[in-house]
Amino acid sequence: MAATHALFDLCAMPEYVGALRAEAQSALAESGGVWQYSIIKNLRQLDSFLKESQRVNQSTFLGFDRKVMSAIKLSDGTILPPGSLIMMPGGPMSRDPEYYKSPGSFEGRRFCSPAANVSDDTSKATARTTQDYTSIEPGNLSWGNGRFTCPGRWYGAAMIKLILANLLIKYDVSFPGGQTERPANTKYDTEVHPDFGATVRFARRQLD
Ligand code: HEM
C-alpha cells in the first residue's frame, strides 16, 4: 500500500520526479549498476518523499488497538480500568500542527533537513533527530510505537525504496486520460487504502 500511495503521489506531483530520478540514477551509477542496501538507505530524497506520502496517507484513521490489562493512570489523572479497549488517532495526529508544520500540504522534502519539519510549537518539536522513513517521531504511528513497533520496517522500507527507485529510472508514470489528481483514498472500518481500482500508465523510458 505504501508503494501504491507513493506511485499515486508521483503521478499527481510530477514536479518531484526529476530530482528523485536523478538521485536514484546517480546512486546506482556510483555503485556500478548493482543495488545494495547501503545505497538504497542513502536515497535521502526518496526516503523523505515516502515518509511524507506515508504521513499524508496514514493507513489507519484509528490504530494501535489495545486492551487494558491492568489499570493505567494517565498524566491528567484519567484512569483506564482493566478491560477497556483503547485506540490512538493516528490519522488526525499525522495532520496535527502540534507535530508537523503546515501539515495540510504535501512537502516531499519535509524530512530532508532537520529544521524543515519542526513545528511552530517548539515544545512539541518533531523529528529533529529522527528524519528517516523508518524513524518514529512524535505524531507518527505509521509503524506503531513502543515495545511492539514494527520490526520489519527496515526491510519493508528498503523494498519500497527499491521498487520506487527502479520505477523512476525505467518508467514515466502518469494517470490516464489527462487525470492530474490522485484518486481519493478509500476507507474500510478504521483503515485507509489507496483506490485499488485506479489505473496508472507506465511508459518505458529510453535508457542511456
Ligand atoms: C510499509 C510497510 C509496513 C507498515 C506500514 C507496517 C506497520 C506496522 C505497525 C503499525 C505495527 C504495529 C501494530 C501494533 O502495535 O498494533 C507493525 C507490527 C509488526 N510488523 Fe509491520 N509494517 C510494515 C511492514 C512489515 C514487514 C515487511 C514485516 C516483516 C517482514 C513486518 C512485521 C511486523 C511484525 C512481526 C509486527 C508485530 C510486532 C509485535 O507485535 O511485536 N511489518 N507493523
Side-chain angles (χ1 to χ4, degrees):
M1 286 206 297
T4 306
H5 279 305
L7 181 59
F8 286 179
D9 285 330
L10 279 178
C11 294
M13 293 172 280
E15 63 272 24
Y16 284 105
V17 168
L20 294 173
R21 178 176 287 152
E23 179 185 60
Q25 282 172 326
S26 90
L28 190 57
E30 272 173 37
S31 72
V34 181
W35 286 114
Q36 290 166 356
Y37 182 66
S38 56
I39 296 168
I40 298 169
K41 197 167 180 295
N42 284 336
L43 295 170
R44 282 301 312 151
Q45 292 193 57
L46 182 57
D47 203 273
S48 173
F49 186 87
L50 286 167
K51 190 172 172 72
E52 179 71 339
S53 178
Q54 186 184 54
R55 183 188 72 80
V56 172
N57 301 290
Q58 269 293 325
S59 60
T60 51
F61 182 74
L62 288 171
F64 204 77
D65 334 24
R66 296 291 187 269
K67 183 175 181 180
V68 176
M69 303 308 287
S70 53
I72 298 172
K73 188 173 182 184
L74 302 182
S75 57
D76 68 350
T78 306
I79 293 180
L80 305 177
S84 313
L85 297 176
I86 58 169
M87 297 178 98
M88 306 288 169
M93 283 168 70
S94 72
R95 290 182 288 279
D96 188 332
E98 275 200 7
Y99 299 115
Y100 299 100
K101 207 170 186 175
S102 308
S105 62
F106 186 106
E107 292 171 24
R109 294 180 55 82
R110 180 185 293 272
F111 300 101
C112 281
S113 87
N117 186 45
V118 175
S119 160
D120 287 333
D121 177 354
T122 49
S123 67
K124 295 277 170 53
T126 65
R128 283 201 180 109
T129 53
T130 53
Q131 295 279 312
D132 286 353
Y133 183 28
T134 49
S135 67
I136 312 294
E137 74 281 3
N140 180 4
L141 285 177
S142 300
W143 306 103
N145 203 308
R147 196 169 154 196
F148 301 105
T149 305
C150 179
R153 62 192 189 276
W154 294 277
Y155 174 74
M159 290 302 110
I160 293 163
K161 287 172 85 173
L162 188 58
I163 292 167
L164 265 291
N166 266 308
L167 286 181
L168 281 158
I169 291 173
K170 292 180 182 162
Y171 298 94
D172 284 318
V173 293
S174 58
F175 292 124
Q179 178 188 341
T180 53
E181 292 194 7
R182 57 170 287 156
N185 289 333
T186 55
K187 294 197 174 72
Y188 174 74
D189 195 15
T190 60
E191 294 180 7
V192 178
H193 298 158
D195 181 346
F196 295 138
T199 304
V200 170
R201 182 177 162 275
F202 289 79
R204 184 98 197 180
R205 297 181 66 239
Q206 184 83 38
L207 299 181
D208 302 330

